Amino acid sequence: MTVEDAPAVVVVGAGPTGTTVATLLAQYGIHCLLLDRWAGVYRQPRAVHLDDEIYRVIARLGIAGEFAAISRPAQGLRLLDPTMKVLAEFRRDTSLSVNGFPQANMFDQPELETLLRANLERYACVELRGDAEVTGVTEQRDGRIRVTYVDRTDGSTHVVDTDYLLGCDGANSIVRTHIGSHMHDMKFDQRWLVIDAATPADLDQWDGVHQVCDPVRAGTYMRIGESRYRWEFRLLPGESADDFRTIEALRPLIAPWTQGVTDTEIALIRVAEYTFRARIADRWRRGNIFLLGDAAHLTPPFIGQGLGAGLRDAVNLAWKLAGVIKGELPPTALDSYEQERKPHAHHMIRLALVVGWAMTAGGEFGNLARRLLVTRLQLIPGMRTKVVDSRTPALHRSAFVRPTRGRLAGTLCPNPPYPDGKSLDDLLGDGFAMITAVAPTAGQRRVLDNRGVTIHIAPPDSEIAEWLRHGRATAALVRPDRTVMYAGHDVERICQVTPHFRWDRVSGRQSSGADGHRRRAARRRNCGEIAI
């Protein structure tokens, strides 16, 4: 058994979170080894929803068009009582949001993972090894991390040494176990039946998410694609998925949505039992080992944010880790990952629990609360907008989130389209950017240019200028993940707090002239590393 000297980062788990963080690191020229216990994409459907903020991450990976081809915008949320009477309806505009994409998007997870893996093949500096089951993690005296895994095809044992280890290995994470992190139970465990089916028949249903608020048998219906559907029902004591393996057995559950559709017209793709849990790891890091995705948090699916939470972890950590590895940022920059992401994840889990309670709270009190509160929810001024608003909370204060008297720090900047077909994200690039309504002085421009900052001057009547005014700022410093680090009226102050961070996307912008040729040659040799 030989010890292999691996790239700078080893990622354990090639699900959406692991593949996303590996791709983002590759775009910054960081070499990664991605290990997954499965030979290929796990074929069972799981996550089916992502919002416009996460769609923006998908676009950052370079597959927005491909994802649009396999996804379907959802029209909103309808709350139903046990008799299928509509308690409330919250419609979403399926046109583009402030993030540049539809607010709610339905998809099939295996199809998304197939896209993510195909896209990963564009980057020579990432190696994906399937059928590789990690069996051990050891922290060495020299600070490096030794990862042991078994090749499941032949049973051989392999060892790699790396500088950083990212645990994206799910709820039963071996990486989490190694660092001694424990899941804090937020006191929510419910057994649910999950049904994925396909039919060419038109179910003639409102094209949004249906939530059945029933203390006995809460349920959810969603249209995933042209002919794909998902139902979820809470299991009663003594029931299991084995009781519902046929269309005949499922008829009492799905009948409200399948009237007039024969058994032979419905093909079952999967019938499975899941336990919906709410948990969060007490710590997400030890040394150079980090937890992401389900290894760090488990969110009940009532608000469709489970997969999104993992991709938020990936986009938050990737640029910081790349900056530290390249020497552009100090090692302390990595402290901000858990500082920012843990409170955000905790908030989203609590929100999911509130929605879960509203669906499933039992007894007369639960039914009364739904009748009195839910039915009136849509009548409260501004409440309808809040229910369908996909914006998530601002990130917690850190070295890279500097709140001021305004309200922009820690939030995402908008991503409006421009007449040439590009979006603001395209113009801002992959490093830090300053969005301003006031042109910087020559001296300020030099400082910002030396630190690799893109300057975007917003026209007075633009959506971006209005965003700045609403946020009580004339300028905002935006991070590579498009989160506002600092905003205010003092451009000089922004120049002072801006980190050095000079990057160019591996497969993106191209320079011109002799310098461009040298940079493109370096990109081909080193998977995007550019000498500054």
Side-chain angles (χ1 to χ4, degrees), residues 46-52 55 66-77 92 94 102-109 111-112 196 206-211 220-226 228-232 301 303-304:
R46 287 163 290 165
V48 294
H49 168 270
L50 59 80
D51 63 23
D52 53 327
Y55 206 144
E66 292 89 337
F67 181 72
I70 66 163
S71 62
R72 182 184 186 89
Q75 291 186 353
L77 172 67
R92 277 196 171 106
T94 56
Q103 286 186 310
N105 304 275
M106 313 306 293
F107 66 96
D108 177 50
Q109 183 169 335
E111 290 186 334
L112 172 61
D196 286 283
W206 180 70
D207 210 5
V209 176
H210 300 196
Q211 299 277 21
T220 306
Y221 158 87
M222 297 166 280
R223 184 174 184 177
I224 308 303
E226 288 300 318
R228 282 285 312 280
Y229 300 89
R230 158 79 60 92
W231 287 272
E232 298 171 351
I303 57 173

Side-chain angles (χ1 to χ4, degrees), residues 394-454:
L395 294 181
H396 194 266
R397 177 189 291 270
S398 75
F400 295 105
V401 176
R402 308 282 190 88
T404 60
R405 292 183 179 180
R407 59 188 72 175
L408 298 181
T411 67
L412 289 174
C413 73
N415 183 35
Y418 284 79
D420 61 0
K422 293 184 177 181
S423 67
L424 181 63
D425 281 354
D426 296 326
L427 301 179
L428 297 185
D430 302 305
F432 279 83
M434 187 178 77
I435 302 173
T436 178
V438 179
T441 66
Q444 291 166 346
R445 280 182 174 274
R446 283 194 296 271
V447 171
L448 294 171
D449 184 62
N450 288 337
R451 298 188 181 187
V453 178
T454 299

Side-chain angles (χ1 to χ4, degrees), residues 28-40:
Y28 285 119
I30 305 300
H31 292 243
C32 303
L33 173 62
L34 182 57
L35 302 174
D36 195 76
R37 70 185 306 269
W38 302 108

Side-chain angles (χ1 to χ4, degrees), residues 144-174:
R144 305 201 81 204
I145 303 154
R146 178 160 294 181
V147 181
T148 304
Y149 71 92
V150 173
D151 186 330
R152 299 173 68 199
T153 63
D154 59 14
S156 59
T157 299
H158 300 258
V159 176
V160 293
D161 284 350
T162 187
D163 295 320
Y164 294 90
L165 177 64
L166 308 185
C168 306
D169 49 342
N172 300 313
S173 169
I174 188 174

Side-chain angles (χ1 to χ4, degrees), residues 45 195-201 203 227-231 244-248 250-251 254 258 261-271:
I195 305 153
D196 286 283
T199 176
L203 300 189
S227 60
R228 282 285 312 280
Y229 300 89
R230 158 79 60 92
W231 287 272
F244 301 95
R245 295 295 182 189
T246 65
I247 293 294
E248 183 180 12
L250 288 168
R251 271 295 179 187
I254 66 174
T258 58
V261 182
T262 65
D263 289 1
T264 57
E265 290 180 287
I266 304 175
L268 289 180
I269 297 171
R270 178 188 66 155
V271 177

Side-chain angles (χ1 to χ4, degrees), residues 204-217:
D204 193 27
Q205 299 292 328
W206 180 70
D207 210 5
V209 176
H210 300 196
Q211 299 277 21
V212 181
C213 302
D214 185 346
V216 177
R217 179 80 82 182

Side-chain angles (χ1 to χ4, degrees), residues 267-288:
L268 289 180
I269 297 171
R270 178 188 66 155
V271 177
E273 178 181 326
Y274 276 86
T275 300
F276 295 164
R277 294 187 170 94
R279 296 179 180 177
I280 191 164
D282 56 5
R283 61 174 174 173
W284 295 20
R285 175 191 184 187
R286 188 169 82 185
N288 288 346

